[in-house]
Amino acid sequence: MTAPARSLPFPGAAPLRVVVGGARQAPRVGAWGLLAVVVLAAFFLLIYSRVSLDRSAFVLQEVHREMAAEEERYWRLRLTVAELQAPERIVAQAREMGLAYPAAVETIEVPGVGVSGRGAEDRWADLKALLGAQP
Amino acid sequence: MRPPSAVNGRRPRGLNARLVMVGVALILAWGGVGYRLVVVQGTRAEEYAARGREQRLHREILAAARGTIFDGEGRELALTVDSVTVYANPREVTDPQVEARYLASLTGQEPARIEELLTSEGTFVYVARQMDPADGARVRAAALPGIYTLDEPRRVYPAGWLTGQVVGFVQPDSNAGLEGLELYYDAALAGTPGRLEVERDPWGRTIPQGEFSVIPAEPGSDLVLTLRTSIQFAAVGALRSGLERTGARAGSVVVLDPRTGAVLAMANLPGFDPADRSSLLPEQVRNRAVTDLFEPGSTQKLITVAAALEAGLVTPGTVLEIPQRLQILDTVFEDFTEHTDRLTVTEIVAQSSNLGTILLGEMLGAQRLHEYMVAFGQGRQTRIDFPGEAPGVLRPPEDWCVTTCVAGTSIGYHVSVTALQMAVAYSVIANDGVWVRPHLVAEVVDGMGGRAPTAPPQKRVVSAETARQIRLMLAAVVDEGTGARAAVEGYRVGGKTGTTRKYLSESGEYSEEDVVASFIGMAPIDDPRVVVAVVLDSPREDASGGKGAAPVFAAVALAALHQLGVPPDAP
């Protein structure tokens, strides 16, 4: 049964009516399900991101360890190079190989060498050729 | 029938009492729990949180990498590498014999010695200091009871004995400079330690996303020296040969670049290897060129003659009447080389005439002679960047005696100098009359690569013309005077010999046997690129500057000129 509509004292307002025993609406399962899925996904995403971060932190730690090891190796190599360059070692090796400092030094004078300007490169080439011909 | 416990609908009195007691007990217990909860979570919450945080938080001082010391040719003279120190807590060691045997195989020590350490009293003992990291890792992996390892930086000196006294060394525990440039530049080399704070779990692993803060360590600055290893090697070699040939007790060689004041070599013997300091004597550590004083003798004549020329009292060609012998009170001055009665100023220098130089000194007077000596750098430190430099001895002129002091000082007595001071004085002449402060460090390179080159102060002492005239006189010393053995094949060189009786501070007298033989010179003489000072302490053979020290000069000067690529200038 529908009560008669009463007009409200407001001009132009739609008249209200009371509905008794209207049809029952079905629950919105689809929307709630979607919300649950989104929340669940967000939850897993959060967990995944944190796990990823943790894993990255361990990887980073490992990289730092490797860096330290490589750096240590680098310094060791520098030390080795420095020890190999020691003049005392080189002289001892040279003596072992039969090398000796020349008793007399002969100075070769090439005209123009050491003078800058045009043709300097050619003059150096001449000098190199001259030196290359030496025993 | 009614149950016995509910007579007349009432509970027995005993049961009521027990219930009350249980109730009270429960209330008290819950009250206690509640109180504790309030305390833990409320009033003392911060304190407990901080305590927990402290347990997780690991604080670490990040050691700053000590700077490297390079020579002028880019070779490392001192650098820092990682090392592992092994220590033990003898109380935790379960089987000293077995552990000692294993450690001995890795450390190269005697098993008995290690066993002795492992059975000693106390809770801490070093087993091996600063081992190779690979060996240290093996010790760590063995996980022996009571044996622990510690990562430590180790300072190494690849050039060894070659530069020991100049570079110096550090204290092994703290890595702080103890001697030489390591001490002088300690603040720059050391850097600034950093700080790390990180949360760790009970197994020592870093807690990801835990608290983490780091203030990185600032690495120490590198030093680039003026020293050239190749020239240093030649200087040490020549000095060693000189010591073997003359039987001298000790010796020093200083090689300077007169234009810049750069020290190209500074060699002293006896020396030491910084890697082996187990039986080190003070005389081995000392940088004699900077710390040891001697009376310069005839090498001082350069200053007296330069002063007389600069003051306009004489010219190189001025002829002076020179006796062979002169007695002032009870002191007799004489020339050891026979000469004619009349000598030019150049001949006075070439023949190293004591009497001629004394005459020039007397012409100058005490005040003026003293002024020039100070200007040439005597009686004060050169302020080289090296610790423990001796200022020398030069008394103010008002303290000089009126009889023999001017005469004695003119020829290098009554004044004490270091080898470096004399090398710098000769550099004035080599550098056209300009004094330049000597220095060992060419530049300091900070951790970010910023370079701070050394800019040594300069000042004019004598005119370029006076310096040129003196250089010609010094060339005459080698060409036709007392320094013939200083001649270098292919180059025109100049220098001055010096032989002084050694002053014995214990007795306050001059030694009858011991002398100091020296030769200081420069090459090439027309445009000097190096100044070399050689000082031999108490030679037994060739006990004079001309015979003992001059050949050392020749060898060092030749090597230095070759290394610097200076073309020959002599026919």
Side-chain angles (χ1 to χ4, degrees), chain A residues 50 53-54 57-58 61 72 75-76 78-79 82-83 85-88 91 101 104-105 107, chain B residues 68 70 75-76 79-82 132-133 154 156 158 161-162 206 208-209 229 233 562 568:
Chain A
R50 287 194 68 94
L53 270 174
D54 288 0
F58 284 120
Q61 219 172 338
E72 195 268 323
W75 282 103
R76 287 267 148 205
R78 270 181 70 165
L79 173 61
E83 283 170 347
Q85 283 180 337
E88 193 182 21
V91 168
Y101 206 78
V105 180
T107 309
Chain B
T68 302
F70 296 92
R75 292 189 176 123
E76 281 100 341
L79 69 157
T80 304
V81 295
D82 289 344
D132 188 84
R154 182 163 71 100
V156 287
W161 52 268
L162 204 58
T206 302
Q209 298 171 63
T229 306
F233 181 70
H562 280 179

Side-chain angles (χ1 to χ4, degrees), chain B residues 278-301:
Chain B
S278 51
S279 55
L280 209 55
L281 300 170
E283 53 262 38
Q284 290 174 277
V285 179
R286 190 162 95 230
N287 185 350
R288 293 167 185 272
V290 173
T291 61
D292 283 20
L293 296 175
F294 66 99
E295 287 181 311
S298 292
T299 55
Q300 177 75 9
K301 289 171 184 168

